[in-house]
Amino acid sequence: AMDGEPVFVLFMILCTTVKAHLRMLSQVSHLVNNAEMQAFLRSEPPRTELMERIEDAFPAEERTRRP
Protein backbone atom coordinates (compact mmCIF):
# COMPACT_ATOMS: atom_id res chain seq x y z
CA ALA A 1 0.00 0.00 0.00
CA MET A 2 1.08 3.58 -0.52
CA ASP A 3 1.21 4.16 3.25
CA GLY A 4 3.59 1.25 3.78
CA GLU A 5 1.00 -0.77 5.71
CA PRO A 6 0.06 -4.29 4.58
CA VAL A 7 -3.08 -4.64 2.46
CA PHE A 8 -5.75 -6.72 4.15
CA VAL A 9 -8.61 -6.39 1.67
CA LEU A 10 -8.89 -5.72 -2.05
CA PHE A 11 -12.04 -4.75 -3.94
CA MET A 12 -12.53 -5.09 -7.68
CA ILE A 13 -15.09 -2.74 -9.16
CA LEU A 14 -16.49 -3.42 -12.62
CA CYS A 15 -18.85 -0.83 -14.07
CA THR A 16 -20.09 0.01 -17.52
CA THR A 17 -19.50 3.78 -17.23
CA VAL A 18 -17.09 6.13 -15.50
CA LYS A 19 -20.02 7.71 -13.63
CA ALA A 20 -21.12 4.34 -12.26
CA HIS A 21 -17.54 3.47 -11.36
CA LEU A 22 -17.05 6.70 -9.43
CA ARG A 23 -20.38 6.25 -7.61
CA MET A 24 -19.46 2.71 -6.58
CA LEU A 25 -15.93 3.76 -5.60
CA SER A 26 -17.41 6.46 -3.35
CA GLN A 27 -19.80 3.97 -1.72
CA VAL A 28 -17.04 1.42 -1.09
CA SER A 29 -14.83 4.16 0.34
CA HIS A 30 -17.51 5.15 2.84
CA LEU A 31 -18.14 1.51 3.71
CA VAL A 32 -14.52 0.66 4.49
CA ASN A 33 -13.98 3.83 6.50
CA ASN A 34 -16.37 2.39 9.09
CA ALA A 35 -14.40 0.88 12.02
CA GLU A 36 -16.94 -1.92 12.50
CA MET A 37 -16.68 -2.91 8.85
CA GLN A 38 -12.88 -2.80 9.02
CA ALA A 39 -12.93 -5.20 11.98
CA PHE A 40 -15.37 -7.44 10.14
CA LEU A 41 -13.15 -7.53 7.04
CA ARG A 42 -10.04 -8.25 9.12
CA SER A 43 -11.83 -11.26 10.66
CA GLU A 44 -11.75 -12.93 7.21
CA PRO A 45 -15.48 -13.74 7.23
CA PRO A 46 -17.00 -16.51 5.13
CA ARG A 47 -18.01 -15.38 1.64
CA THR A 48 -21.74 -15.63 2.43
CA GLU A 49 -21.44 -13.32 5.46
CA LEU A 50 -19.35 -10.86 3.48
CA MET A 51 -21.89 -10.72 0.67
CA GLU A 52 -24.73 -10.26 3.17
CA ARG A 53 -22.91 -7.32 4.77
CA ILE A 54 -22.25 -5.71 1.41
CA GLU A 55 -25.83 -6.23 0.25
CA ASP A 56 -27.11 -4.74 3.52
CA ALA A 57 -24.85 -1.70 3.05
CA PHE A 58 -26.01 -1.07 -0.54
CA PRO A 59 -29.74 -1.10 -1.24
CA ALA A 60 -30.76 -3.29 -4.18
CA GLU A 61 -31.67 -0.27 -6.31
CA GLU A 62 -28.13 1.09 -5.87
CA ARG A 63 -26.57 -2.22 -6.91
CA THR A 64 -28.68 -2.53 -10.05
CA ARG A 65 -29.24 1.12 -11.04
CA ARG A 66 -28.30 1.94 -14.59
CA PRO A 67 -26.24 5.08 -15.20
Side-chain angles (χ1 to χ4, degrees):
M2 292 179 69
D3 61 4
E5 296 294 319
V7 174
F8 68 92
V9 67
L10 179 68
F11 287 90
M12 182 180 350
I13 301 173
L14 301 172
C15 298
T16 57
T17 67
V18 171
K19 183 178 178 179
H21 175 83
L22 293 174
R23 184 177 54 241
M24 183 59 68
L25 185 61
S26 173
Q27 291 173 329
V28 169
S29 175
H30 286 289
L31 180 66
V32 298
N33 277 319
N34 176 291
E36 183 181 324
M37 183 56 131
Q38 289 178 15
F40 175 73
L41 292 170
R42 287 182 187 273
S43 74
E44 299 181 25
R47 182 179 297 162
T48 55
E49 287 182 41
L50 176 61
M51 291 309 298
E52 286 174 11
R53 274 298 211 19
I54 291 172
E55 289 171 358
D56 288 347
F58 301 116
E61 61 273 9
E62 286 291 318
R63 294 190 312 267
T64 58
R65 181 173 33 168
R66 297 281 180 190

